[in-house]
Amino acid sequence: MTVTAAEIRAFGNVPEHVAIIMDGNGRWARERGQPRVFGHQQGMQAVKRSVEAAGELGVSVLSLYAFSQENWSRPRGEIDALMELLSRYIQSERRELVERGVRVRVMGQLERLTPVARAALSRLLRDTQDGHGLILNLAISYGGRWEILEACRRLARRAAAGELEPESIDEERFAAALGTAGLPDPDLLIRTSGEFRVSNFLLWQIAYTEIHVTEVLWPDFGAEDFFEAVYDFQRRERRFGKVPF
Ligand code: FPP
């Protein structure tokens, strides 16, 4: 199926927030007899393509699961390579992201990152802070349960200090204590490589999110695959637990 950005925009109902679990880098590399890191390197190109595709469709927020807390238990060499790739991505893409008006946000336990990766990220956040286009929300050293616990701790501290009435904690206030504060919940979650799992990504936020799973491995994921996922989303009936009429 080939669908163009113009067709998708003309249909209307473009998702405001798209989240992606980028999976399959290792398998992609193995199929080619290459080390896993080779798959991650190619995966970086797919990140670039998705940022462009999201921009073309007028999506407001793109959340990418770049590194999970579980990923810390991978071999040291792979972790180091991923950290380096992140810094490299930032170095090579910073100017273009700024030119495209992209505003980068990041969520996760950043104190676990290497100092080099942390420094590159803070510079990227600073350089893109005035962007008025796509919000690129990177989940790095991130886990959904960790994020929910962090929000609980933050609210509990305020309650203990007498600044917050426990009874006043509603969904809105809770959401404002999460890493996605101020962002709409994802409308569409894409997972590549054919796995039907959410893998601890945005657990609170995906309560009513439509899920699109594709067999395509992340390094092969291109603009057409992004458009196809949105095309699929546009034809879903979203009921949010209510009856249709
Ligand atoms: C999953 O594939 C992918 C990751 C754990 C890392 C994703 C990282 C990138 C795409 C590159 C850098 C990211 C940014 C934002 C610049 P896997 O290794 O779990 O694949 P497998 O399931 O086939 O083993």
Side-chain angles (χ1 to χ4, degrees):
M1 188 188 77
T2 315
V3 56
T4 65
E7 281 165 334
I8 290 175
R9 279 201 310 269
F11 189 88
N13 186 31
V14 169
E16 217 185 329
H17 183 172
V18 176
I20 309 185
I21 300 176
M22 311 181 284
D23 194 16
N25 293 351
R27 273 161 286 171
W28 188 90
R30 197 176 57 220
E31 282 173 7
R32 288 158 180 79
Q34 296 284 343
R36 298 176 55 78
V37 172
F38 184 62
H40 297 316
Q41 281 164 357
Q42 297 304 310
M44 216 169 83
Q45 299 306 317
V47 168
K48 195 171 146 67
R49 292 193 293 268
S50 281
V51 168
E52 287 169 12
E56 245 186 283
L57 295 185
V59 165
S60 307
V61 187
L62 178 66
S63 288
L64 299 179
Y65 204 2
F67 193 88
S68 73
Q69 291 196 332
E70 291 72 27
N71 289 155
W72 287 115
S73 52
R74 292 195 175 194
R76 191 68 235 176
E78 186 173 344
I79 294 175
D80 289 346
L82 279 166
M83 290 296 127
E84 203 199 307
L85 263 184
L86 179 68
S87 311
R88 246 207 284 155
Y89 169 80
I90 294 172
Q91 217 166 32
S92 69
E93 293 304 304
R94 192 179 50 235
R95 185 183 300 189
E96 192 171 336
L97 291 171
V98 171
E99 276 167 13
R100 283 178 178 272
V102 173
R103 179 151 61 94
V104 178
R105 283 177 60 143
V106 67
M107 55 182 190
Q109 215 174 357
L110 302 183
E111 55 279 15
R112 294 185 74 179
L113 300 185
T114 58
V116 175
R118 259 204 324 259
L121 262 177
S122 359
R123 173 153 186 218
L124 181 66
L125 295 180
R126 206 182 51 233
D127 289 356
T128 62
Q129 67 188 356
D130 297 326
H132 289 292
L134 175 74
I135 295 175
L136 176 60
N137 181 36
L138 299 175
I140 302 174
S141 184
Y142 171 88
R145 288 184 175 178
W146 166 83
E147 181 191 30
I148 289 171
L149 285 174
E150 275 290 293
C152 290
R153 287 190 277 261
R154 203 167 294 153
L155 294 170
R157 275 195 297 270
R158 292 184 54 204
E163 297 165 14
L164 182 71
E165 202 50 60
E167 297 311 316
S168 74
I169 301 174
D170 55 11
E171 289 192 11
E172 202 182 321
R173 190 159 267 179
F174 192 80
L178 294 168
T180 46
L183 300 179
D185 285 341
D187 303 289
L188 170 64
L189 170 67
I190 301 171
R191 180 162 189 152
T192 57
S193 91
E195 308 282 357
F196 287 76
R197 281 194 291 277
V198 291
S199 298
N200 205 10
F201 192 37
L202 299 172
L203 294 182
W204 169 275
Q205 298 89 336
I206 60 169
Y208 292 102
T209 299
E210 297 294 326
I211 301 181
H212 174 92
V213 175
T214 170
E215 289 292 327
V216 175
L217 302 177
W218 179 249
D220 285 331
F221 193 84
E224 328 70 57
D225 302 297
F226 194 100
F227 296 162
E228 196 179 315
V230 172
Y231 180 92
D232 174 28
F233 166 85
Q234 287 176 318
R235 281 144 192 89
R236 303 267 182 100
E237 186 196 1
R238 301 185 80 192
R239 294 206 297 269
F240 301 95
K242 302 184 182 101
V243 290
F245 50 82

